[in-house]
């Protein structure tokens, strides 16, 4: 792989990761699972090819299920609890990085919002993103 190297880590630093090249896309997910896991109104995910992603430090995995009925492996730090990434069977070959753990996450601008059906009512629509009521690409 080539291109710039991006880095991220959990809150405590036990889990670190990097990926090469540009992400495929950045999306905001308003689904209830992301709201609960992240204890926030939505999650921001950066999708990268699995073969560009390298992780140091063991994550724990919550075996979740997406709308499709397919498995979603939610990886998180066993010490500090930071969500790190989701790997969805519906999206083979992709790692959905939880963007807040990226060192430079502010430069990843979401191009779409998914699961807008469960958007909190006080949160306005992002003007430069495309909105989908459900999963669209199956982002979890
Ligand atoms: Zn940690
Ligand atoms: Zn979600």
């Amino acid at each position: 792989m080539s291109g710039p190297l991006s880095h991220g880590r959990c809150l405590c630093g036990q889990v670190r990761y990097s990926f090469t090249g540009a992400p495929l896309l950045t999306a905001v997910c308003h689904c209830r699972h992301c709201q609960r896991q992240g204890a926030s109104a939505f999650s921001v995910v950066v999708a990268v090819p699995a073969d560009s992603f390298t992780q140091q430090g063991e994550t724990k995995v919550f075996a979740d299920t997406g709308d499709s009925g397919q498995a979603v492996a939610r990886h998180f730090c066993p010490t500090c609890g930071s969500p790190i990434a989701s790997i969805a069977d519906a999206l083979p070959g992709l790692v959905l990085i939880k963007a807040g753990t990226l060192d430079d996450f502010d430069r990843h601008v979401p191009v779409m919002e998914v699961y807008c059906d469960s958007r909190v009512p006080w949160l306005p629509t992002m003007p430069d993103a495309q909105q989908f009521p459900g999963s669209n690409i199956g982002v979890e």
Side-chain angles (χ1 to χ4, degrees), residues 89-132:
D89 281 5
L91 296 168
L94 293 187
V95 176
L96 306 173
I97 296 169
K98 298 295 182 176
T101 60
L102 278 164
D103 292 350
D104 64 346
F105 94 100
D106 55 329
R107 80 180 178 88
H108 296 283
V109 180
V111 296
M112 67 173 72
E113 296 183 272
V114 297
Y115 288 99
C116 292
D117 282 353
S118 47
R119 175 199 303 274
V120 291
W122 45 261
L123 186 71
T125 296
M126 297 175 60
D128 297 327
Q130 201 178 354
Q131 282 75 36
F132 297 92

Coordinates of all heavy atoms in Angstrom, one line a residue, residues 89-132:
D89 N -20.4 -7.8 8.3 CA -20.4 -8.9 7.3 C -21.1 -8.3 6.0 O -20.8 -8.8 4.9 CB -21.2 -10.1 7.8 CG -20.3 -11.0 8.7 OD1 -19.2 -10.6 9.0 OD2 -20.8 -12.0 9.1
A90 N -22.0 -7.3 6.1 CA -22.6 -6.8 5.0 C -21.7 -5.9 4.1 O -22.0 -5.6 3.0 CB -23.8 -5.9 5.4
L91 N -20.5 -5.6 4.7 CA -19.5 -4.7 4.0 C -18.2 -5.4 4.0 O -17.2 -5.0 4.7 CB -19.4 -3.4 4.7 CG -20.6 -2.5 4.6 CD1 -20.5 -1.3 5.6 CD2 -20.9 -2.0 3.2
P92 N -18.1 -6.5 3.2 CA -16.8 -7.3 3.3 C -15.6 -6.5 2.8 O -15.7 -5.7 1.9 CB -17.1 -8.5 2.3 CG -18.3 -8.1 1.5 CD -19.0 -7.1 2.3
G93 N -14.5 -6.7 3.5 CA -13.3 -6.0 3.1 C -13.1 -4.6 3.6 O -12.1 -4.0 3.3
L94 N -14.1 -4.2 4.5 CA -14.0 -2.8 5.0 C -13.8 -2.8 6.5 O -14.3 -3.7 7.2 CB -15.2 -2.0 4.7 CG -15.5 -1.7 3.2 CD1 -16.7 -0.7 3.1 CD2 -14.3 -1.0 2.5
V95 N -13.1 -1.8 7.0 CA -13.0 -1.5 8.4 C -13.7 -0.1 8.6 O -13.3 0.8 7.9 CB -11.6 -1.5 9.0 CG1 -11.6 -1.1 10.4 CG2 -11.0 -2.9 8.8
L96 N -14.7 -0.1 9.5 CA -15.4 1.2 9.8 C -14.8 1.8 11.1 O -15.2 1.4 12.2 CB -16.9 1.0 9.9 CG -17.5 0.3 8.7 CD1 -19.0 -0.1 9.0 CD2 -17.4 1.1 7.5
I97 N -13.8 2.7 10.9 CA -13.1 3.2 12.0 C -14.0 4.3 12.7 O -14.6 5.1 12.1 CB -11.8 3.9 11.6 CG1 -10.9 2.9 11.0 CG2 -11.1 4.6 12.7 CD1 -9.7 3.5 10.3
K98 N -14.1 4.2 14.1 CA -14.8 5.2 14.8 C -13.9 6.5 14.8 O -12.9 6.5 15.5 CB -15.1 4.7 16.3 CG -15.9 3.5 16.3 CD -17.3 3.8 15.8 CE -18.2 2.6 15.9 NZ -19.6 2.9 15.5
A99 N -14.4 7.5 14.1 CA -13.5 8.6 13.7 C -12.9 9.4 14.8 O -11.9 9.9 14.7 CB -14.3 9.5 12.8
G100 N -13.6 9.4 16.0 CA -13.1 10.2 17.1 C -11.8 9.7 17.7 O -11.2 10.4 18.4
T101 N -11.5 8.5 17.3 CA -10.2 7.9 17.8 C -9.0 8.3 16.9 O -7.9 8.0 17.2 CB -10.3 6.4 17.9 OG1 -10.6 5.8 16.6 CG2 -11.3 6.0 18.9
L102 N -9.3 8.8 15.7 CA -8.2 9.2 14.8 C -7.5 10.5 15.3 O -8.2 11.4 15.8 CB -8.8 9.5 13.4 CG -9.1 8.3 12.5 CD1 -10.0 8.7 11.3 CD2 -7.8 7.8 12.0
D103 N -6.2 10.5 15.1 CA -5.4 11.7 15.5 C -5.9 13.0 14.7 O -5.9 14.1 15.3 CB -3.9 11.5 15.2 CG -3.4 10.4 16.2 OD1 -4.1 10.0 17.1 OD2 -2.2 10.0 15.9
D104 N -6.3 12.8 13.5 CA -6.6 13.9 12.6 C -8.1 13.9 12.2 O -8.4 14.2 11.0 CB -5.7 14.0 11.4 CG -5.9 12.8 10.5 OD1 -6.5 11.8 10.9 OD2 -5.4 12.8 9.4
F105 N -9.0 13.4 13.1 CA -10.3 13.1 12.7 C -11.1 14.4 12.2 O -12.0 14.3 11.4 CB -11.1 12.4 13.7 CG -12.0 13.2 14.7 CD1 -13.3 13.3 14.4 CD2 -11.4 13.9 15.7 CE1 -14.1 14.1 15.3 CE2 -12.2 14.6 16.6 CZ -13.5 14.7 16.4
D106 N -10.7 15.6 12.6 CA -11.4 16.8 12.1 C -11.3 17.0 10.7 O -12.1 17.8 10.1 CB -10.9 18.0 13.0 CG -9.4 18.2 12.8 OD1 -8.7 17.2 12.7 OD2 -9.0 19.3 12.9
R107 N -10.3 16.4 10.0 CA -10.2 16.6 8.6 C -11.0 15.7 7.7 O -11.1 15.8 6.5 CB -8.7 16.6 8.1 CG -8.1 15.3 7.9 CD -6.7 15.4 7.5 NE -6.1 14.1 7.3 CZ -6.2 13.3 6.2 NH1 -6.8 13.8 5.1 NH2 -5.6 12.1 6.1
H108 N -11.7 14.7 8.4 CA -12.5 13.7 7.6 C -14.0 14.3 7.7 O -14.7 14.2 8.7 CB -12.4 12.4 8.3 CG -11.1 11.8 8.2 ND1 -10.6 11.2 7.0 CD2 -10.0 11.7 9.1 CE1 -9.3 10.8 7.2 NE2 -9.0 11.1 8.4
V109 N -14.4 14.8 6.6 CA -15.7 15.5 6.5 C -16.8 14.5 6.0 O -16.6 13.9 5.0 CB -15.7 16.7 5.6 CG1 -17.0 17.4 5.5 CG2 -14.6 17.7 6.1
P110 N -17.8 14.3 6.8 CA -18.8 13.3 6.4 C -19.5 13.7 5.0 O -19.8 14.8 4.8 CB -19.9 13.3 7.5 CG -19.1 13.8 8.7 CD -18.1 14.8 8.1
V111 N -19.7 12.7 4.2 CA -20.4 12.9 2.9 C -21.8 12.3 2.9 O -22.6 12.6 2.0 CB -19.6 12.3 1.7 CG1 -18.2 12.9 1.5 CG2 -19.4 10.8 1.9
M112 N -22.1 11.6 4.0 CA -23.5 11.1 4.1 C -23.8 10.8 5.5 O -23.0 10.7 6.4 CB -23.6 9.7 3.3 CG -22.9 8.6 3.8 SD -23.3 7.0 3.0 CE -22.6 7.3 1.4
E113 N -25.2 10.9 5.8 CA -25.7 10.6 7.1 C -26.6 9.4 6.9 O -27.5 9.5 6.0 CB -26.5 11.8 7.6 CG -25.7 13.0 7.9 CD -26.6 14.1 8.5 OE1 -27.2 14.9 7.8 OE2 -26.7 14.1 9.7
V114 N -26.5 8.4 7.7 CA -27.3 7.2 7.6 C -28.1 7.0 8.8 O -27.8 7.6 9.9 CB -26.5 5.9 7.2 CG1 -25.8 6.1 5.8 CG2 -25.5 5.6 8.3
Y115 N -29.2 6.2 8.7 CA -30.1 6.0 9.8 C -30.7 7.3 10.3 O -30.9 7.5 11.5 CB -29.5 5.2 11.0 CG -29.3 3.7 10.6 CD1 -28.1 3.2 10.1 CD2 -30.4 2.8 10.6 CE1 -27.9 1.9 9.8 CE2 -30.2 1.5 10.2 CZ -29.0 1.1 9.8 OH -28.9 -0.2 9.4
C116 N -31.0 8.2 9.4 CA -31.6 9.5 9.8 C -32.9 9.3 10.4 O -33.4 10.3 11.1 CB -31.7 10.4 8.6 SG -30.1 10.9 7.9
D117 N -33.6 8.2 10.3 CA -34.8 7.9 11.0 C -34.7 8.0 12.5 O -35.7 8.3 13.2 CB -35.3 6.5 10.6 CG -36.0 6.4 9.2 OD1 -36.1 7.5 8.6 OD2 -36.3 5.3 8.8
S118 N -33.5 7.8 13.0 CA -33.4 7.9 14.5 C -32.5 9.0 14.9 O -31.9 9.0 16.0 CB -32.9 6.5 15.0 OG -31.8 6.0 14.3
R119 N -32.3 10.0 14.0 CA -31.6 11.3 14.3 C -32.3 11.9 15.5 O -33.6 12.0 15.6 CB -31.7 12.2 13.2 CG -31.0 13.6 13.5 CD -31.5 14.7 12.5 NE -31.2 14.3 11.1 CZ -30.0 14.5 10.5 NH1 -29.1 15.2 11.1 NH2 -29.8 14.1 9.3
V120 N -31.6 12.4 16.5 CA -32.2 13.1 17.6 C -32.8 14.4 17.1 O -32.2 15.1 16.2 CB -31.2 13.4 18.7 CG1 -30.8 12.2 19.5 CG2 -30.0 14.2 18.2
P121 N -34.0 14.8 17.6 CA -34.7 15.9 17.0 C -34.0 17.3 17.1 O -34.3 18.2 16.3 CB -36.1 16.0 17.8 CG -35.8 15.1 19.0 CD -34.7 14.2 18.7
W122 N -33.1 17.4 18.0 CA -32.4 18.7 18.2 C -31.2 18.9 17.3 O -30.5 19.9 17.4 CB -32.0 18.9 19.7 CG -31.4 17.8 20.3 CD1 -32.0 16.9 21.2 CD2 -30.0 17.3 20.3 NE1 -31.1 15.9 21.6 CE2 -29.9 16.2 21.1 CE3 -28.9 17.8 19.6 CZ2 -28.7 15.5 21.2 CZ3 -27.7 17.1 19.7 CH2 -27.6 16.0 20.5
L123 N -30.9 17.9 16.5 CA -29.7 17.9 15.7 C -30.0 18.3 14.2 O -30.7 17.5 13.6 CB -29.0 16.6 15.7 CG -27.6 16.5 15.1 CD1 -26.6 17.3 15.8 CD2 -27.2 15.1 14.9
P124 N -29.5 19.4 13.7 CA -29.9 19.8 12.3 C -29.2 18.8 11.3 O -28.2 18.2 11.6 CB -29.4 21.2 12.2 CG -28.4 21.4 13.3 CD -28.7 20.4 14.4
T125 N -29.8 18.8 10.1 CA -29.2 18.1 9.0 C -27.9 18.7 8.6 O -27.8 19.9 8.5 CB -30.3 18.1 7.8 OG1 -31.4 17.4 8.3 CG2 -29.7 17.4 6.6
M126 N -27.0 17.9 8.2 CA -25.7 18.5 7.7 C -25.9 18.9 6.2 O -26.2 18.0 5.4 CB -24.6 17.4 7.8 CG -24.3 17.0 9.2 SD -23.1 15.7 9.3 CE -21.7 16.5 8.5
P127 N -25.7 20.2 5.9 CA -26.0 20.6 4.5 C -25.2 20.0 3.4 O -25.7 19.9 2.3 CB -25.8 22.2 4.6 CG -24.9 22.4 5.8 CD -25.2 21.2 6.8
D128 N -24.0 19.6 3.7 CA -23.1 19.1 2.6 C -23.0 17.6 2.5 O -22.2 17.1 1.8 CB -21.7 19.7 2.8 CG -21.6 21.2 2.7 OD1 -22.4 21.7 1.9 OD2 -20.8 21.8 3.4
A129 N -23.9 17.0 3.3 CA -24.0 15.5 3.3 C -25.3 15.0 2.7 O -26.3 15.7 2.7 CB -23.8 14.9 4.7
Q130 N -25.2 13.8 2.2 CA -26.4 13.2 1.6 C -27.1 12.4 2.7 O -26.4 11.7 3.5 CB -26.0 12.2 0.5 CG -27.1 11.9 -0.5 CD -26.6 11.0 -1.6 OE1 -25.5 10.7 -1.7 NE2 -27.6 10.6 -2.4
Q131 N -28.5 12.5 2.8 CA -29.2 11.8 3.9 C -29.9 10.6 3.5 O -30.5 10.5 2.4 CB -30.2 12.8 4.5 CG -29.6 13.8 5.5 CD -28.9 14.9 4.8 OE1 -29.3 15.4 3.7 NE2 -27.8 15.4 5.3
F132 N -29.8 9.5 4.3 CA -30.5 8.3 4.0 C -31.3 7.9 5.3 O -30.8 8.0 6.4 CB -29.5 7.2 3.7 CG -28.7 7.5 2.4 CD1 -27.5 8.1 2.5 CD2 -29.2 7.1 1.2 CE1 -26.8 8.4 1.3 CE2 -28.5 7.4 0.0 CZ -27.3 8.0 0.1

